[in-house]
């Protein structure tokens, strides 16, 4: 797949103290910078993320989440909705067409596939003023090109070139920040993650098994893994299994049953349930929507 990020929508959003929005999903990937205030992002299937000034969020399409603002502090963020490469979406013209405020009623026809290009779900920026400027160049340019704040499509070209250019610079800085922060990861966790991603088959080993391999207590291992990845060991293991299964659905003719057995699921039902929870659609629907041939 050729990657050429395309900005769909960009805006600055103020939320009132105590606001709660969701559970909702975004149909396309989205990046957020918390400018001020505090709160939380609450997920259905992964650890919640505490929000504070300087928090940088990346939310994959189809991931159910809820915004919850602290009762004593309003919160403001800037966000960019984008696609890794442009895909025609008939009828998408207003911002709300890019998200569904009730995740159970989402329209699968609008949902982009989740692509892993190495952006962590959460980072902490090193200078709020610098990052605010990076986001502001995108949002202000978007407002100039789309004064009615309608979603961009191919008809906005070439006026959207400046937006795309500013966003590419923003993405470049996101990757640089991610590399800087990943460099401090405990080497034991780095090695374990590589092993988990390579194996990714069979039932999840008990936490004590992983901890014993690293010479750590169960509680210390669990805390260390979550600190460096943002996820529990079991969630990460299941994510690795689903990633491999997803690749097989797109690149082989193997049945869903064969793929489920290959990655150690006890039944097709168990595999389908976890796949739909993580990807937003059943395996058969995923294959039908995103397979090229």
């Amino acid at each position: 797949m050729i990657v050429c990020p395309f900005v769909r929508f960009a805006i600055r959003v103020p939320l009132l103290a105590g606001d709660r929005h969701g559970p909702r999903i975004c149909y396309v990937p989205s990046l957020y910078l918390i400018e001020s205030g505090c709160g939380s992002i609450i997920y259905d299937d992964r650890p919640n993320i505490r929000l504070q000034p300087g928090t940088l969020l990346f939310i994959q399409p189809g991931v159910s989440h809820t915004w919850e603002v602290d009762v004593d502090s309003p919160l403001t963020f800037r966000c960019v909705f984008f696609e890794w490469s442009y895909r025609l979406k008939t009828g998408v013209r207003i911002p709300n067409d890019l998200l569904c405020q009730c995740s159970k009623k989402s329209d699968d026809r609008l949902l982009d596939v989740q692509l892993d290009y190495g952006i962590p779900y959460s980072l902490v920026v090193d200078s709020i003023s610098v990052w605010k400027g990076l986001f502001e160049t995108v949002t202000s340019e978007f407002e100039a090109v789309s004064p009615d704040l309608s979603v961009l499509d191919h008809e906005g070209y070439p006026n959207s070139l400046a937006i795309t250019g500013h966003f590419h610079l923003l993405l470049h800085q996101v990757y640089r920040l991610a590399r800087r922060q990943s460099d401090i990861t405990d080497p034991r966790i780095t090695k374990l993650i590589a092993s988990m991603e390579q194996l990714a088959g069979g039932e999840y080993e008990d936490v004590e098994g992983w901890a014993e391999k690293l010479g750590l207590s169960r509680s210390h291992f669990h805390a260390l893994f979550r600190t460096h990845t943002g996820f529990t060991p079991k969630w990460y293991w299941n994510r690795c299994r689903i990633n491999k299964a997803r690749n097989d659905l797109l690149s082989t003719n193997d049945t869903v049953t064969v793929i489920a057995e290959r990655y150690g699921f006890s039944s097709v039902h168990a595999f389908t349930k976890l796949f739909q929870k993580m990807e937003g659609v059943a395996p058969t629907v995923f294959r039908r929507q995103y397979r090229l041939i």
Side-chain angles (χ1 to χ4, degrees), residues 188-232:
R188 294 172 296 182
I189 299 299
T190 301
K191 185 176 180 179
L192 175 60
I193 288 173
S195 177
M196 293 171 80
E197 292 176 348
Q198 181 179 5
L199 297 174
E203 293 291 335
Y204 173 73
E205 289 188 43
D206 185 77
V207 172
E208 292 176 350
W210 293 112
E212 183 177 353
K213 292 179 180 179
L214 299 182
L216 302 171
S217 67
R218 177 189 178 102
S219 59
H220 187 192
F221 165 68
H222 196 280
L224 189 65
F225 192 95
R226 186 161 180 171
T227 295
H228 287 292
T229 68
F231 310 113
T232 64

mmCIF file of all heavy atoms in Angstrom, residues 188-232:
data_model
loop_
_atom_site.group_PDB
_atom_site.id
_atom_site.type_symbol
_atom_site.label_atom_id
_atom_site.label_comp_id
_atom_site.label_asym_id
_atom_site.label_seq_id
_atom_site.Cartn_x
_atom_site.Cartn_y
_atom_site.Cartn_z
ATOM 1 N N ARG A 188 14.905 -5.486 28.778
ATOM 2 C CA ARG A 188 14.232 -6.762 29.019
ATOM 3 C C ARG A 188 12.836 -6.754 28.391
ATOM 4 O O ARG A 188 12.399 -7.760 27.809
ATOM 5 C CB ARG A 188 14.136 -7.032 30.526
ATOM 6 C CG ARG A 188 15.482 -7.258 31.206
ATOM 7 C CD ARG A 188 15.344 -7.321 32.706
ATOM 8 N NE ARG A 188 14.863 -6.044 33.248
ATOM 9 C CZ ARG A 188 14.693 -5.813 34.559
ATOM 10 N NH1 ARG A 188 14.958 -6.756 35.447
ATOM 11 N NH2 ARG A 188 14.268 -4.631 34.975
ATOM 12 N N ILE A 189 12.152 -5.628 28.507
ATOM 13 C CA ILE A 189 10.818 -5.512 27.927
ATOM 14 C C ILE A 189 10.905 -5.471 26.406
ATOM 15 O O ILE A 189 10.089 -6.072 25.707
ATOM 16 C CB ILE A 189 10.098 -4.259 28.473
ATOM 17 C CG1 ILE A 189 9.942 -4.350 29.998
ATOM 18 C CG2 ILE A 189 8.742 -4.099 27.805
ATOM 19 C CD1 ILE A 189 9.124 -5.542 30.460
ATOM 20 N N THR A 190 11.919 -4.777 25.887
ATOM 21 C CA THR A 190 12.118 -4.722 24.437
ATOM 22 C C THR A 190 12.307 -6.122 23.866
ATOM 23 O O THR A 190 11.715 -6.487 22.840
ATOM 24 C CB THR A 190 13.345 -3.856 24.098
ATOM 25 O OG1 THR A 190 13.146 -2.536 24.606
ATOM 26 C CG2 THR A 190 13.554 -3.790 22.592
ATOM 27 N N LYS A 191 13.119 -6.922 24.534
ATOM 28 C CA LYS A 191 13.375 -8.285 24.079
ATOM 29 C C LYS A 191 12.114 -9.141 24.178
ATOM 30 O O LYS A 191 11.816 -9.936 23.274
ATOM 31 C CB LYS A 191 14.494 -8.905 24.915
ATOM 32 C CG LYS A 191 14.922 -10.283 24.449
ATOM 33 C CD LYS A 191 16.100 -10.793 25.266
ATOM 34 C CE LYS A 191 16.542 -12.185 24.798
ATOM 35 N NZ LYS A 191 17.715 -12.671 25.581
ATOM 36 N N LEU A 192 11.363 -8.974 25.258
ATOM 37 C CA LEU A 192 10.146 -9.746 25.433
ATOM 38 C C LEU A 192 9.110 -9.379 24.379
ATOM 39 O O LEU A 192 8.447 -10.257 23.804
ATOM 40 C CB LEU A 192 9.575 -9.504 26.839
ATOM 41 C CG LEU A 192 8.221 -10.168 27.132
ATOM 42 C CD1 LEU A 192 8.331 -11.679 26.976
ATOM 43 C CD2 LEU A 192 7.740 -9.803 28.517
ATOM 44 N N ILE A 193 8.964 -8.087 24.090
ATOM 45 C CA ILE A 193 8.009 -7.643 23.076
ATOM 46 C C ILE A 193 8.354 -8.256 21.719
ATOM 47 O O ILE A 193 7.473 -8.725 20.990
ATOM 48 C CB ILE A 193 7.994 -6.107 22.992
ATOM 49 C CG1 ILE A 193 7.303 -5.522 24.229
ATOM 50 C CG2 ILE A 193 7.292 -5.629 21.727
ATOM 51 C CD1 ILE A 193 7.379 -4.015 24.319
ATOM 52 N N ALA A 194 9.641 -8.270 21.380
ATOM 53 C CA ALA A 194 10.067 -8.872 20.111
ATOM 54 C C ALA A 194 9.711 -10.347 20.069
ATOM 55 O O ALA A 194 9.267 -10.873 19.040
ATOM 56 C CB ALA A 194 11.571 -8.681 19.933
ATOM 57 N N SER A 195 9.879 -11.034 21.206
ATOM 58 C CA SER A 195 9.540 -12.453 21.288
ATOM 59 C C SER A 195 8.043 -12.670 21.143
ATOM 60 O O SER A 195 7.595 -13.573 20.429
ATOM 61 C CB SER A 195 10.031 -13.025 22.622
ATOM 62 O OG SER A 195 9.647 -14.381 22.758
ATOM 63 N N MET A 196 7.256 -11.831 21.794
ATOM 64 C CA MET A 196 5.800 -11.955 21.727
ATOM 65 C C MET A 196 5.308 -11.735 20.310
ATOM 66 O O MET A 196 4.431 -12.450 19.817
ATOM 67 C CB MET A 196 5.147 -10.959 22.686
ATOM 68 C CG MET A 196 5.410 -11.244 24.160
ATOM 69 S SD MET A 196 4.847 -9.912 25.261
ATOM 70 C CE MET A 196 3.096 -10.272 25.350
ATOM 71 N N GLU A 197 5.881 -10.742 19.630
ATOM 72 C CA GLU A 197 5.452 -10.442 18.270
ATOM 73 C C GLU A 197 5.871 -11.538 17.289
ATOM 74 O O GLU A 197 5.189 -11.792 16.302
ATOM 75 C CB GLU A 197 6.028 -9.090 17.847
ATOM 76 C CG GLU A 197 5.419 -7.925 18.608
ATOM 77 C CD GLU A 197 6.043 -6.590 18.264
ATOM 78 O OE1 GLU A 197 7.110 -6.597 17.604
ATOM 79 O OE2 GLU A 197 5.480 -5.568 18.657
ATOM 80 N N GLN A 198 6.991 -12.201 17.573
ATOM 81 C CA GLN A 198 7.455 -13.273 16.695
ATOM 82 C C GLN A 198 6.638 -14.544 16.902
ATOM 83 O O GLN A 198 6.261 -15.211 15.939
ATOM 84 C CB GLN A 198 8.930 -13.557 16.953
ATOM 85 C CG GLN A 198 9.503 -14.663 16.061
ATOM 86 C CD GLN A 198 10.976 -14.912 16.327
ATOM 87 O OE1 GLN A 198 11.557 -14.333 17.240
ATOM 88 N NE2 GLN A 198 11.578 -15.776 15.542
ATOM 89 N N LEU A 199 6.364 -14.885 18.143
ATOM 90 C CA LEU A 199 5.634 -16.116 18.449
ATOM 91 C C LEU A 199 4.141 -15.945 18.153
ATOM 92 O O LEU A 199 3.605 -16.558 17.244
ATOM 93 C CB LEU A 199 5.858 -16.502 19.904
ATOM 94 C CG LEU A 199 7.305 -16.825 20.295
ATOM 95 C CD1 LEU A 199 7.410 -17.061 21.803
ATOM 96 C CD2 LEU A 199 7.798 -18.042 19.543
ATOM 97 N N ALA A 200 3.489 -15.133 18.950
ATOM 98 C CA ALA A 200 2.085 -14.763 18.741
ATOM 99 C C ALA A 200 1.205 -15.925 18.312
ATOM 100 O O ALA A 200 0.435 -15.825 17.374
ATOM 101 C CB ALA A 200 1.982 -13.622 17.729
ATOM 102 N N GLY A 201 1.316 -17.049 18.961
ATOM 103 C CA GLY A 201 0.447 -18.176 18.693
ATOM 104 C C GLY A 201 0.245 -18.975 19.958
ATOM 105 O O GLY A 201 1.097 -18.984 20.847
ATOM 106 N N GLY A 202 -0.867 -19.626 20.068
ATOM 107 C CA GLY A 202 -1.134 -20.413 21.254
ATOM 108 C C GLY A 202 -1.743 -19.594 22.365
ATOM 109 O O GLY A 202 -1.892 -18.380 22.266
ATOM 110 N N GLU A 203 -2.110 -20.266 23.412
ATOM 111 C CA GLU A 203 -2.721 -19.596 24.552
ATOM 112 C C GLU A 203 -1.707 -18.690 25.240
ATOM 113 O O GLU A 203 -0.497 -18.950 25.205
ATOM 114 C CB GLU A 203 -3.256 -20.628 25.545
ATOM 115 C CG GLU A 203 -4.426 -21.444 25.017
ATOM 116 C CD GLU A 203 -5.684 -20.625 24.844
ATOM 117 O OE1 GLU A 203 -5.817 -19.589 25.539
ATOM 118 O OE2 GLU A 203 -6.529 -20.999 24.013
ATOM 119 N N TYR A 204 -2.194 -17.650 25.847
ATOM 120 C CA TYR A 204 -1.336 -16.724 26.576
ATOM 121 C C TYR A 204 -0.735 -17.403 27.801
ATOM 122 O O TYR A 204 -1.446 -18.040 28.572
ATOM 123 C CB TYR A 204 -2.151 -15.512 27.007
ATOM 124 C CG TYR A 204 -1.398 -14.562 27.917
ATOM 125 C CD1 TYR A 204 -0.386 -13.750 27.417
ATOM 126 C CD2 TYR A 204 -1.690 -14.491 29.269
ATOM 127 C CE1 TYR A 204 0.298 -12.884 28.232
ATOM 128 C CE2 TYR A 204 -1.011 -13.622 30.104
ATOM 129 C CZ TYR A 204 -0.017 -12.824 29.576
ATOM 130 O OH TYR A 204 0.672 -11.968 30.396
ATOM 131 N N GLU A 205 0.574 -17.281 27.944
ATOM 132 C CA GLU A 205 1.206 -17.830 29.133
ATOM 133 C C GLU A 205 0.796 -17.033 30.361
ATOM 134 O O GLU A 205 0.566 -15.823 30.284
ATOM 135 C CB GLU A 205 2.728 -17.762 28.998
ATOM 136 C CG GLU A 205 3.307 -18.719 27.995
ATOM 137 C CD GLU A 205 4.834 -18.728 28.079
ATOM 138 O OE1 GLU A 205 5.350 -18.738 29.213
ATOM 139 O OE2 GLU A 205 5.470 -18.719 27.035
ATOM 140 N N ASP A 206 0.719 -17.690 31.475
ATOM 141 C CA ASP A 206 0.405 -16.975 32.700
ATOM 142 C C ASP A 206 1.465 -15.912 32.944
ATOM 143 O O ASP A 206 2.642 -16.087 32.611
ATOM 144 C CB ASP A 206 0.369 -17.950 33.879
ATOM 145 C CG ASP A 206 -0.063 -17.268 35.162
ATOM 146 O OD1 ASP A 206 -1.273 -17.023 35.311
ATOM 147 O OD2 ASP A 206 0.811 -16.962 35.988
ATOM 148 N N VAL A 207 1.038 -14.773 33.528
ATOM 149 C CA VAL A 207 1.961 -13.668 33.789
ATOM 150 C C VAL A 207 3.182 -14.150 34.559
ATOM 151 O O VAL A 207 4.304 -13.692 34.333
ATOM 152 C CB VAL A 207 1.246 -12.550 34.577
ATOM 153 C CG1 VAL A 207 2.239 -11.478 35.022
ATOM 154 C CG2 VAL A 207 0.153 -11.920 33.725
ATOM 155 N N GLU A 208 2.988 -15.093 35.441
ATOM 156 C CA GLU A 208 4.098 -15.591 36.242
ATOM 157 C C GLU A 208 5.161 -16.252 35.364
ATOM 158 O O GLU A 208 6.353 -16.224 35.683
ATOM 159 C CB GLU A 208 3.588 -16.568 37.298
ATOM 160 C CG GLU A 208 2.738 -15.889 38.374
ATOM 161 C CD GLU A 208 2.140 -16.873 39.366
ATOM 162 O OE1 GLU A 208 2.224 -18.086 39.118
ATOM 163 O OE2 GLU A 208 1.594 -16.404 40.366
ATOM 164 N N GLY A 209 4.728 -16.845 34.243
ATOM 165 C CA GLY A 209 5.678 -17.466 33.330
ATOM 166 C C GLY A 209 6.583 -16.444 32.677
ATOM 167 O O GLY A 209 7.801 -16.619 32.598
ATOM 168 N N TRP A 210 5.981 -15.336 32.187
ATOM 169 C CA TRP A 210 6.779 -14.261 31.598
ATOM 170 C C TRP A 210 7.685 -13.633 32.654
ATOM 171 O O TRP A 210 8.852 -13.342 32.389
ATOM 172 C CB TRP A 210 5.867 -13.187 31.007
ATOM 173 C CG TRP A 210 5.063 -13.612 29.822
ATOM 174 C CD1 TRP A 210 3.718 -13.759 29.776
ATOM 175 C CD2 TRP A 210 5.539 -13.950 28.518
ATOM 176 N NE1 TRP A 210 3.319 -14.158 28.529
ATOM 177 C CE2 TRP A 210 4.414 -14.280 27.738
ATOM 178 C CE3 TRP A 210 6.810 -14.005 27.948
ATOM 179 C CZ2 TRP A 210 4.524 -14.653 26.402
ATOM 180 C CZ3 TRP A 210 6.920 -14.377 26.611
ATOM 181 C CH2 TRP A 210 5.787 -14.698 25.859
ATOM 182 N N ALA A 211 7.120 -13.391 33.840
ATOM 183 C CA ALA A 211 7.887 -12.743 34.908
ATOM 184 C C ALA A 211 9.099 -13.586 35.298
ATOM 185 O O ALA A 211 10.196 -13.061 35.531
ATOM 186 C CB ALA A 211 6.989 -12.495 36.123
ATOM 187 N N GLU A 212 8.900 -14.906 35.359
ATOM 188 C CA GLU A 212 9.992 -15.793 35.747
ATOM 189 C C GLU A 212 11.137 -15.727 34.736
ATOM 190 O O GLU A 212 12.320 -15.749 35.103
ATOM 191 C CB GLU A 212 9.475 -17.227 35.881
ATOM 192 C CG GLU A 212 10.530 -18.209 36.365
ATOM 193 C CD GLU A 212 9.961 -19.597 36.548
ATOM 194 O OE1 GLU A 212 8.726 -19.745 36.417
ATOM 195 O OE2 GLU A 212 10.732 -20.534 36.813
ATOM 196 N N LYS A 213 10.801 -15.623 33.444
ATOM 197 C CA LYS A 213 11.830 -15.534 32.415
ATOM 198 C C LYS A 213 12.689 -14.290 32.581
ATOM 199 O O LYS A 213 13.871 -14.284 32.229
ATOM 200 C CB LYS A 213 11.180 -15.532 31.028
ATOM 201 C CG LYS A 213 10.528 -16.847 30.641
ATOM 202 C CD LYS A 213 9.893 -16.750 29.264
ATOM 203 C CE LYS A 213 9.235 -18.066 28.872
ATOM 204 N NZ LYS A 213 8.593 -17.991 27.534
ATOM 205 N N LEU A 214 12.093 -13.226 33.123
ATOM 206 C CA LEU A 214 12.827 -11.976 33.300
ATOM 207 C C LEU A 214 13.398 -11.826 34.704
ATOM 208 O O LEU A 214 14.065 -10.834 35.004
ATOM 209 C CB LEU A 214 11.902 -10.778 33.010
ATOM 210 C CG LEU A 214 11.315 -10.689 31.598
ATOM 211 C CD1 LEU A 214 10.479 -9.431 31.457
ATOM 212 C CD2 LEU A 214 12.423 -10.691 30.556
ATOM 213 N N GLY A 215 13.126 -12.802 35.555
ATOM 214 C CA GLY A 215 13.622 -12.726 36.921
ATOM 215 C C GLY A 215 12.925 -11.675 37.753
ATOM 216 O O GLY A 215 13.530 -11.054 38.637
ATOM 217 N N LEU A 216 11.628 -11.450 37.480
ATOM 218 C CA LEU A 216 10.863 -10.430 38.184
ATOM 219 C C LEU A 216 9.678 -11.053 38.899
ATOM 220 O O LEU A 216 9.207 -12.133 38.524
ATOM 221 C CB LEU A 216 10.347 -9.369 37.204
ATOM 222 C CG LEU A 216 11.394 -8.616 36.367
ATOM 223 C CD1 LEU A 216 10.691 -7.779 35.301
ATOM 224 C CD2 LEU A 216 12.253 -7.737 37.255
ATOM 225 N N SER A 217 9.182 -10.355 39.910
ATOM 226 C CA SER A 217 7.943 -10.783 40.551
ATOM 227 C C SER A 217 6.775 -10.479 39.614
ATOM 228 O O SER A 217 6.903 -9.665 38.686
ATOM 229 C CB SER A 217 7.729 -10.045 41.872
ATOM 230 O OG SER A 217 7.485 -8.665 41.637
ATOM 231 N N ARG A 218 5.655 -11.112 39.836
ATOM 232 C CA ARG A 218 4.478 -10.911 38.990
ATOM 233 C C ARG A 218 4.062 -9.439 38.957
ATOM 234 O O ARG A 218 3.839 -8.854 37.892
ATOM 235 C CB ARG A 218 3.319 -11.775 39.515
ATOM 236 C CG ARG A 218 2.008 -11.595 38.750
ATOM 237 C CD ARG A 218 0.875 -12.312 39.471
ATOM 238 N NE ARG A 218 -0.395 -12.105 38.790
ATOM 239 C CZ ARG A 218 -0.975 -12.990 38.007
ATOM 240 N NH1 ARG A 218 -0.389 -14.150 37.783
ATOM 241 N NH2 ARG A 218 -2.131 -12.731 37.431
ATOM 242 N N SER A 219 3.990 -8.819 40.134
ATOM 243 C CA SER A 219 3.525 -7.436 40.210
ATOM 244 C C SER A 219 4.515 -6.470 39.562
ATOM 245 O O SER A 219 4.120 -5.527 38.863
ATOM 246 C CB SER A 219 3.289 -7.042 41.675
ATOM 247 O OG SER A 219 4.477 -7.180 42.429
ATOM 248 N N HIS A 220 5.822 -6.714 39.766
ATOM 249 C CA HIS A 220 6.836 -5.836 39.185
ATOM 250 C C HIS A 220 6.820 -5.949 37.663
ATOM 251 O O HIS A 220 6.902 -4.945 36.948
ATOM 252 C CB HIS A 220 8.225 -6.197 39.730
ATOM 253 C CG HIS A 220 9.299 -5.241 39.306
ATOM 254 N ND1 HIS A 220 10.647 -5.503 39.478
ATOM 255 C CD2 HIS A 220 9.235 -4.018 38.695
ATOM 256 C CE1 HIS A 220 11.348 -4.497 39.005
ATOM 257 N NE2 HIS A 220 10.517 -3.581 38.523
ATOM 258 N N PHE A 221 6.713 -7.184 37.156
ATOM 259 C CA PHE A 221 6.666 -7.387 35.710
ATOM 260 C C PHE A 221 5.463 -6.685 35.097
ATOM 261 O O PHE A 221 5.568 -5.989 34.076
ATOM 262 C CB PHE A 221 6.614 -8.872 35.390
ATOM 263 C CG PHE A 221 6.215 -9.160 33.970
ATOM 264 C CD1 PHE A 221 7.050 -8.824 32.921
ATOM 265 C CD2 PHE A 221 4.996 -9.754 33.684
ATOM 266 C CE1 PHE A 221 6.681 -9.075 31.608
ATOM 267 C CE2 PHE A 221 4.625 -10.008 32.378
ATOM 268 C CZ PHE A 221 5.466 -9.670 31.339
ATOM 269 N N HIS A 222 4.308 -6.855 35.704
ATOM 270 C CA HIS A 222 3.079 -6.265 35.182
ATOM 271 C C HIS A 222 3.208 -4.739 35.128
ATOM 272 O O HIS A 222 2.865 -4.107 34.117
ATOM 273 C CB HIS A 222 1.898 -6.664 36.064
ATOM 274 C CG HIS A 222 0.561 -6.449 35.428
ATOM 275 N ND1 HIS A 222 -0.044 -5.219 35.390
ATOM 276 C CD2 HIS A 222 -0.281 -7.301 34.787
ATOM 277 C CE1 HIS A 222 -1.208 -5.323 34.770
ATOM 278 N NE2 HIS A 222 -1.374 -6.565 34.383
ATOM 279 N N ALA A 223 3.718 -4.150 36.201
ATOM 280 C CA ALA A 223 3.873 -2.697 36.256
ATOM 281 C C ALA A 223 4.908 -2.209 35.249
ATOM 282 O O ALA A 223 4.711 -1.182 34.580
ATOM 283 C CB ALA A 223 4.268 -2.278 37.672
ATOM 284 N N LEU A 224 6.015 -2.938 35.112
ATOM 285 C CA LEU A 224 7.083 -2.550 34.196
ATOM 286 C C LEU A 224 6.604 -2.608 32.747
ATOM 287 O O LEU A 224 6.862 -1.695 31.951
ATOM 288 C CB LEU A 224 8.289 -3.467 34.388
ATOM 289 C CG LEU A 224 9.585 -3.077 33.652
ATOM 290 C CD1 LEU A 224 10.115 -1.757 34.185
ATOM 291 C CD2 LEU A 224 10.642 -4.175 33.822
ATOM 292 N N PHE A 225 5.894 -3.669 32.396
ATOM 293 C CA PHE A 225 5.394 -3.830 31.031
ATOM 294 C C PHE A 225 4.407 -2.711 30.693
ATOM 295 O O PHE A 225 4.472 -2.106 29.615
ATOM 296 C CB PHE A 225 4.707 -5.196 30.888
ATOM 297 C CG PHE A 225 4.420 -5.580 29.466
ATOM 298 C CD1 PHE A 225 5.296 -6.382 28.754
ATOM 299 C CD2 PHE A 225 3.277 -5.130 28.822
ATOM 300 C CE1 PHE A 225 5.041 -6.727 27.433
ATOM 301 C CE2 PHE A 225 3.001 -5.478 27.512
ATOM 302 C CZ PHE A 225 3.893 -6.288 26.818
ATOM 303 N N ARG A 226 3.517 -2.431 31.626
ATOM 304 C CA ARG A 226 2.510 -1.399 31.366
ATOM 305 C C ARG A 226 3.145 -0.007 31.289
ATOM 306 O O ARG A 226 2.726 0.836 30.494
ATOM 307 C CB ARG A 226 1.435 -1.435 32.453
ATOM 308 C CG ARG A 226 0.271 -0.506 32.188
ATOM 309 C CD ARG A 226 -0.927 -0.896 33.008
ATOM 310 N NE ARG A 226 -2.047 -0.010 32.767
ATOM 311 C CZ ARG A 226 -3.276 -0.214 33.219
ATOM 312 N NH1 ARG A 226 -3.536 -1.290 33.945
ATOM 313 N NH2 ARG A 226 -4.243 0.626 32.966
ATOM 314 N N THR A 227 4.167 0.234 32.092
ATOM 315 C CA THR A 227 4.846 1.519 32.064
ATOM 316 C C THR A 227 5.475 1.780 30.703
ATOM 317 O O THR A 227 5.399 2.885 30.160
ATOM 318 C CB THR A 227 5.940 1.584 33.148
ATOM 319 O OG1 THR A 227 5.324 1.523 34.441
ATOM 320 C CG2 THR A 227 6.741 2.885 33.038
ATOM 321 N N HIS A 228 6.090 0.745 30.121
ATOM 322 C CA HIS A 228 6.836 0.924 28.882
ATOM 323 C C HIS A 228 5.995 0.755 27.627
ATOM 324 O O HIS A 228 6.414 1.193 26.546
ATOM 325 C CB HIS A 228 8.018 -0.044 28.841
ATOM 326 C CG HIS A 228 9.125 0.333 29.774
ATOM 327 N ND1 HIS A 228 9.902 1.452 29.599
ATOM 328 C CD2 HIS A 228 9.582 -0.247 30.908
ATOM 329 C CE1 HIS A 228 10.790 1.535 30.567
ATOM 330 N NE2 HIS A 228 10.616 0.527 31.373
ATOM 331 N N THR A 229 4.831 0.129 27.727
ATOM 332 C CA THR A 229 4.009 -0.081 26.535
ATOM 333 C C THR A 229 2.652 0.597 26.611
ATOM 334 O O THR A 229 2.033 0.860 25.579
ATOM 335 C CB THR A 229 3.773 -1.588 26.287
ATOM 336 O OG1 THR A 229 2.946 -2.121 27.337
ATOM 337 C CG2 THR A 229 5.089 -2.347 26.224
ATOM 338 N N GLY A 230 2.166 0.842 27.833
ATOM 339 C CA GLY A 230 0.821 1.385 27.995
ATOM 340 C C GLY A 230 -0.257 0.329 28.031
ATOM 341 O O GLY A 230 -1.444 0.649 28.159
ATOM 342 N N PHE A 231 0.142 -0.953 27.933
ATOM 343 C CA PHE A 231 -0.832 -2.028 27.856
ATOM 344 C C PHE A 231 -0.499 -3.128 28.857
ATOM 345 O O PHE A 231 0.645 -3.259 29.304
ATOM 346 C CB PHE A 231 -0.870 -2.636 26.447
ATOM 347 C CG PHE A 231 -1.001 -1.621 25.359
ATOM 348 C CD1 PHE A 231 0.031 -1.403 24.466
ATOM 349 C CD2 PHE A 231 -2.146 -0.872 25.236
ATOM 350 C CE1 PHE A 231 -0.079 -0.468 23.469
ATOM 351 C CE2 PHE A 231 -2.267 0.081 24.231
ATOM 352 C CZ PHE A 231 -1.228 0.283 23.350
ATOM 353 N N THR A 232 -1.491 -3.946 29.163
ATOM 354 C CA THR A 232 -1.227 -5.132 29.962
ATOM 355 C C THR A 232 -0.557 -6.177 29.085
ATOM 356 O O THR A 232 -0.740 -6.174 27.854
ATOM 357 C CB THR A 232 -2.528 -5.730 30.527
ATOM 358 O OG1 THR A 232 -3.344 -6.188 29.441
ATOM 359 C CG2 THR A 232 -3.299 -4.699 31.343
#
